[in-house]
Amino acid sequence: MLKMNSMNSIYENLNSKFNILSVDYPDDMQMAIDLEEKDIHTVLAYLKSDGYTQLSILTCVDWLKEGVLQLVYVIFNWDSGIHILVRTKLDRDKPLFRTVMEIYPGAEFYERDVHEFFGVEFEGNERSYKHLFLELWDAEPPMRKDFDTQAYSDKKYAPREYKSKFISEKGGEK
Amino acid sequence: MKEVKLFLGPQHPGMHGNYSVHMYVDGDIIKKANPMPGMLHRGFEKLMERRYWMGNIALIPRICVVEPDINEMVYAMGVEKLAKIEVPERAHWIRMIILELARLAIHLMSFGGIGGPTGLYTASYWSVADRDLILDIFEKITGARVYHMYIVAGGVRKDLPKGIEEEIIKFLDYIETRFPEYEELILKNPIIHARLKDNILLPKEVVHELGVTGIGMRSAFNKANDIRKVKPYARYDQVEFDVPFGPYSDAYTRVSYKLIEMKQSVRIIRQSLEKMPKEGPVRVSYSTGNAIRWTVPSGMVYPVIESSRGEYGYLMVSDGSDKPYRIAVRGASYPQGLLGVEKYLPGHRIDDASIWMATMDVCAPEIDR
Amino acid sequence: MEIISNNLEKDKKDMRKVWEKIGDYFRANSIWMMWYCTGCGAIEMPPTMTSRFDMEQLGMGPMATPRQADVLLITGYLSAKTLRRVIYSYEQMQDPKYVIGFGSCTINGGIYYDSYATMKQLDHYLPVDLYIAGCMPRPEAVMNGFDTLISMIKKGEAKGWKHYQENYDWYHENQLHSLGEVYVKDEFHE
């Protein structure tokens, strides 16, 4: 109960300063807040000065039906053990955002990751246009929901062909 | 002055797995270093969206090859939080025993890893052979040596086999007699002193900048920043153990902390064997109906645990269907393996690059996914 | 695939000269294994190499450079990016050279059959002398595989490297189809 109260007070403190669209408590010691695009940097900078010194992960969720890409910044406070999931939504057709490298330098490679797999562009992170994991990639960003990995795999990499005779003789079909 | 372009890895005895660092060197001083991950990229995050919640249990241990159990634990914790499942008491303790045995195994493996770059191959021979004893115990409990698929949502797959407690205690007694020998062999060895002492320093500011967690963070911060202490999962709040921490982080300190953590793991396993309920259910069924195609309520949660390399977590999103909507993996060695290599290796000698990889525990498969 | 199977028919006869047989006999008893952990299966290599299973009893040892190695282990799945490096390493190795494929991923894609990043069959791109089944193969299976390879070399059956020379066009075409280009770039992109 005490934990829940402290989470509430963190939320009230944030809500008095910033415009928070919605809040959710997925787990104890964990809070998820939705923000508008323009507020992300101020909120992250505020939270970092408030003890949330670690960016655990920056990642993205593709909501195909709504046509948005949701950026999720998970930040962590080692003293209180509280994770905050800071979320915002971007337009799926033209995802463009500003980097948070000035606030969390460790975000650089997470941003490259998100650019590579979701196609979100980060202004200010110049190297994010360089592919990190994939080499000579020739299709759309693979983690988007409309990318069919099975079809791509069948097209590029030949599957092993088994002789049907072999299967019927030795295998289960009798 | 002429700079030479050099590739360290992926095919190199000092590299831990299929990972590469490209660098410019002047003499033997690194001038510029760029990490080259992706050789182990299998597209796990995409594949997990295509499998059922149940089917993913076979897929996730393969994300981190060296320490697979942490993946199973994080995944199970995430599903339990989304579906609000209460895990039986006995299952919590069994999970802790498995996780701590795995921690012993990976620290032994990393002693083997330090043998490669320093040329102390005896360390590899000893520690890998000792690690195999743990794999034997795993095989008796779960049926597999490396990928166990044992910790599942709702508990563990099946109960411990009869008489395994005595075997674990026998192993713990044995490994405790080996600790002084490892200390003599590795920590008091002149080769190791010469190569690791005051080398590859990790100042506090760098830790902040990179976002390093785990042993690297604790050795620099002088604070017990361990998820097991900060936000305990399973039953870590009911056992006594110490976390090593200090203000000065060089390669030698980090290696010596691994030995201390191993001793503490032994302590945790002994307490767990004593305190765990001797019988009772080890698994609750999570849903009614089809056992394979069970659904998980929609939501977004970020479960974390402390791996041997630091904070390890998944961001799990469910839309209420029978497959995960999105799972993002936070590999614990992501910061030190990518940004750390790039920002911090320049200025060091070539042969110390693989010491960074070994003592910071850069694990390529979890970076690449 | 037809080219390969035709060749296999032809290769059943032992066409080696006497000095090649003597060479193969000695070669089989001292094999250098290339130290390249390409995938998951590499985690079972340290136990195989060190004191419990002791690979050295077969006269095998790890070798750091491809130019001095005899056998290339493909320990599990191969992503497109790794395959480029593997082809580079393989072509640097001196003849005769042998390839062992580990685990189900090299045979038919295994658990990553639908992944956009991994190959489905290794013998499409490189000549494989021996497959060791399993996900992943246990050290006992690996030792057994090495034993088989040794007897294959002695009998002159491990001729993958000759196939690669004779059917280079076919292999190269497959490599280009899946990879685009085989050229390995450095990370600086200069």
Side-chain angles (χ1 to χ4, degrees):
Chain A
M1 210 54 224
L2 194 121
K3 281 174 190 166
M4 201 65 210
N5 282 341
S6 74
M7 296 298 288
N8 268 335
S9 64
I10 292 169
Y11 168 66
E12 269 153 30
N13 180 28
L14 274 177
N15 201 24
S16 65
K17 291 187 173 68
F18 307 103
N19 174 27
I20 293 176
L21 301 178
S22 71
V23 67
D24 181 24
Y25 302 95
D27 188 17
D28 52 330
M29 321 270 277
Q30 215 171 90
M31 184 169 79
I33 50 174
D34 284 299
L35 294 171
E36 276 176 49
E37 260 179 71
K38 58 179 171 43
D39 291 340
I40 287 282
H41 293 81
T42 40
V43 172
L44 284 181
Y46 173 76
L47 284 172
K48 188 180 180 184
S49 66
D50 205 28
Y52 294 84
T53 46
Q54 185 187 306
L55 177 73
S56 282
I57 186 172
L58 154 64
T59 188
C60 187
V61 186
D62 181 8
W63 297 99
L64 185 62
K65 276 181 203 153
E66 297 166 39
V68 289
L69 290 172
Q70 188 178 34
L71 285 182
V72 186
Y73 296 82
V74 181
I75 50 174
F76 186 42
N77 185 341
W78 275 102
D79 298 323
S80 61
I82 291 173
H83 277 99
I84 299 186
L85 281 63
V86 182
R87 305 182 289 198
T88 187
K89 284 180 177 169
L90 304 176
D91 181 16
R92 195 168 179 281
D93 299 321
K94 243 190 186 174
L96 183 68
F97 202 57
R98 201 151 50 79
T99 175
V100 294
M101 268 163 65
E102 296 90 358
I103 307 166
Y104 293 104
E108 182 179 351
F109 276 84
Y110 288 118
E111 284 174 1
R112 284 179 73 168
D113 196 312
V114 169
H115 175 259
E116 188 164 356
F117 291 118
F118 289 92
V120 180
E121 298 193 1
F122 288 94
E123 267 178 297
N125 187 349
E126 283 151 23
R127 289 192 311 164
S128 74
Y129 298 93
K130 213 153 90 178
H131 271 185
L132 188 64
F133 294 100
L134 306 164
E135 207 177 41
L136 300 172
W137 184 248
D138 54 359
E140 62 201 287
M143 282 303 293
R144 289 210 174 190
K145 281 278 173 188
D146 45 8
F147 172 77
D148 187 350
T149 160
Q150 174 96 60
Y152 184 82
S153 169
D154 287 344
K155 193 183 84 196
K156 286 278 269 197
Y157 314 122
R160 181 171 297 277
E161 288 158 16
Y162 288 102
K163 289 174 189 157
S164 57
K165 207 174 90 192
F166 172 78
I167 293 172
S168 61
E169 272 173 14
K170 304 247 170 97
E173 286 177 37
K174 275 178 187 171
Chain B
M1 192 177 101
K2 200 179 170 207
E3 287 182 352
V4 180
K5 197 192 283 178
L6 261 190
F7 289 9
L8 174 70
Q11 182 264 117
H12 188 276
M15 283 317 280
H16 290 223
N18 199 349
Y19 189 74
S20 177
V21 180
H22 294 181
M23 46 183 131
Y24 277 106
V25 291
D26 176 18
D28 66 345
I29 304 293
I30 301 169
K31 287 290 172 191
K32 226 198 259 179
N34 260 11
M36 164 74 117
M39 258 88 76
L40 293 172
H41 181 71
R42 290 143 278 176
F44 268 116
E45 295 177 353
K46 188 79 184 175
L47 297 188
M48 284 197 273
E49 291 169 10
R50 293 170 53 84
R51 310 277 198 274
Y52 295 120
W53 285 99
M54 181 64 124
N56 274 327
I57 291 168
L59 201 58
I60 42 164
R62 288 163 172 80
I63 293 175
C64 179
V65 185
V66 202
E67 198 183 12
D69 306 86
I70 50 170
N71 290 289
E72 299 168 16
M73 183 68 184
V74 177
Y75 183 76
M77 276 167 67
V79 175
E80 282 149 15
K81 277 169 188 168
L82 285 170
K84 310 248 179 328
I85 304 171
E86 279 293 320
V87 179
E89 183 68 16
R90 187 172 156 83
H92 275 306
W93 294 96
I94 295 177
R95 283 177 175 189
M96 267 168 66
I97 293 170
I98 297 284
L99 288 174
E100 291 305 316
L101 280 174
R103 195 182 307 272
L104 275 173
I106 189 170
H107 281 328
L108 282 170
M109 192 77 181
S110 73
F111 279 170
I114 201 75
T118 53
L120 184 72
Y121 289 108
T122 320
S124 332
Y125 276 73
W126 282 20
S127 56
V128 174
D130 280 344
R131 172 179 171 267
D132 240 52
L133 300 174
I134 302 176
L135 298 190
D136 282 351
I137 292 175
F138 275 144
E139 200 175 350
K140 279 176 187 148
I141 298 177
T142 68
R145 274 166 65 85
V146 180
Y147 296 144
H148 310 130
M149 293 159 243
Y150 184 64
I151 299 172
V152 296
V156 293
R157 187 150 49 82
K158 57 183 182 185
D159 208 343
L160 292 176
K162 263 189 198 143
I164 196 74
E165 286 90 347
E166 287 80 52
E167 264 182 69
I168 296 175
I169 286 174
K170 213 173 108 193
F171 164 73
L172 295 181
D173 290 342
Y174 166 75
I175 199 79
E176 274 182 335
T177 64
R178 298 282 286 172
F179 286 150
E181 297 194 37
Y182 279 118
E183 217 162 320
E184 290 282 331
L185 175 71
I186 298 172
L187 296 180
K188 291 184 183 167
N189 195 313
I191 304 175
I192 296 283
H193 269 249
R195 289 294 303 281
L196 302 189
K197 266 255 159 100
D198 303 327
N199 196 359
I200 306 281
L201 298 174
L202 188 71
K204 200 174 166 181
E205 304 78 55
V206 176
V207 174
H208 255 311
E209 192 187 335
L210 302 183
V212 174
T213 52
I215 289 182
M217 184 185 207
R218 290 194 287 275
S219 55
F221 261 54
N222 205 7
K223 239 180 182 181
N225 279 347
D226 187 316
I227 305 268
R228 291 177 293 175
K229 289 278 188 198
V230 174
K231 46 193 300 184
Y233 51 95
R235 290 288 175 265
Y236 278 108
D237 46 350
Q238 294 180 21
V239 289
E240 282 175 18
F241 65 102
D242 301 321
V243 178
F245 56 87
Y248 180 70
S249 177
D250 60 351
Y252 183 81
T253 335
R254 294 195 290 269
V255 173
S256 64
Y257 281 7
K258 285 180 188 165
L259 194 67
I260 302 174
E261 284 207 351
M262 280 164 68
K263 289 176 184 164
Q264 297 301 324
S265 292
V266 171
R267 223 174 125 193
I268 295 173
I269 300 171
R270 281 193 196 280
Q271 290 177 49
S272 308
L273 286 171
E274 246 171 55
K275 286 188 178 175
M276 68 192 268
K278 293 292 168 271
E279 53 202 13
V282 293
R283 183 177 174 183
V284 290
S285 59
Y286 16 73
S287 81
T288 52
N290 194 327
I292 305 285
R293 298 184 58 169
W294 43 284
T295 57
V296 169
S298 59
M300 180 186 285
V301 74
Y302 181 71
V304 278
I305 67 166
E306 178 77 19
S307 76
S308 68
R309 300 169 298 281
E311 181 194 352
Y312 196 94
Y314 286 179
L315 181 85
M316 297 174 67
V317 185
S318 169
D319 63 345
S321 73
D322 50 6
K323 289 171 186 161
Y325 192 76
R326 164 108 172 102
I327 296 180
V329 181
R330 191 234 186 237
S333 53
Y334 204 95
Q336 60 256 47
L338 296 172
L339 198 60
V341 163
E342 189 174 296
K343 286 220 167 155
Y344 201 57
L345 275 189
H348 288 93
R349 289 163 58 225
I350 307 172
D351 40 359
D352 292 341
S354 50
I355 290 186
W356 170 275
M357 297 287 159
T359 61
M360 294 300 294
D361 293 313
V362 176
C363 172
E366 75 176 16
I367 294 174
D368 294 349
R369 304 172 318 270
Chain C
M1 274 331 272
E2 275 175 24
I3 308 168
I4 303 291
S5 53
N6 288 343
N7 268 324
L8 284 174
E9 291 298 314
K10 195 182 82 187
D11 289 348
K12 272 182 185 156
K13 274 182 271 170
D14 193 352
M15 313 260 282
R16 291 178 298 168
K17 298 198 173 63
V18 176
W19 59 270
E20 282 176 328
K21 282 186 187 171
I22 297 171
D24 275 348
Y25 178 80
F26 287 115
R27 200 170 285 131
N29 290 318
S30 125
I31 295 177
W32 291 106
M33 176 202 85
M34 192 157 85
W35 201 319
Y36 187 5
C37 321
T38 55
C40 303
I43 195 70
E44 289 288 34
M45 285 316 290
T48 319
M49 275 153 65
T50 54
S51 42
R52 185 166 181 199
F53 294 97
D54 195 12
M55 192 172 76
E56 275 181 26
Q57 59 178 299
L58 299 174
M60 293 181 76
M63 172 52 71
T65 62
R67 279 160 215 267
Q68 285 146 304
D70 298 307
V71 55
L72 171 63
L73 306 181
I74 308 295
T75 54
Y77 56 84
L78 263 181
S79 66
K81 207 170 179 177
T82 312
L83 183 57
R84 290 192 186 96
R85 273 101 191 141
V86 165
I87 292 169
Y88 257 49
S89 302
Y90 181 74
E91 292 187 351
Q92 278 183 51
M93 288 163 71
Q94 310 224 352
D95 292 340
K97 49 194 173 184
Y98 315 102
V99 178
I100 297 183
F102 265 50
S104 44
C105 303
T106 50
I107 298 173
N108 59 7
I111 199 164
Y112 314 112
Y113 67 94
D114 53 351
S115 165
Y116 55 84
T118 58
M119 302 296 132
K120 286 191 206 165
Q121 52 168 334
L122 174 59
D123 49 24
H124 219 58
Y125 311 99
L126 286 177
V128 182
D129 294 299
L130 183 70
Y131 277 119
I132 304 174
C135 181
M136 56 201 44
R138 300 168 58 87
E140 289 95 332
V142 176
M143 290 296 282
N144 192 22
F146 288 159
D147 203 39
T148 315
L149 180 74
I150 286 170
S151 64
M152 278 169 76
I153 296 173
K154 278 182 184 165
K155 286 185 211 151
E157 288 167 1
K159 305 194 226 188
W161 56 280
K162 271 190 185 161
H163 287 186
Y164 193 68
Q165 287 175 354
E166 286 161 11
N167 306 307
Y168 183 74
D169 290 341
W170 184 79
Y171 282 114
H172 195 61
E173 198 183 301
N174 290 337
Q175 289 164 4
L176 286 182
H177 174 75
S178 295
L179 299 179
E181 61 180 294
V182 184
Y183 180 68
V184 173
K185 287 195 184 65
D186 71 275
E187 184 52 30
F188 296 102
H189 287 240
E190 288 164 349

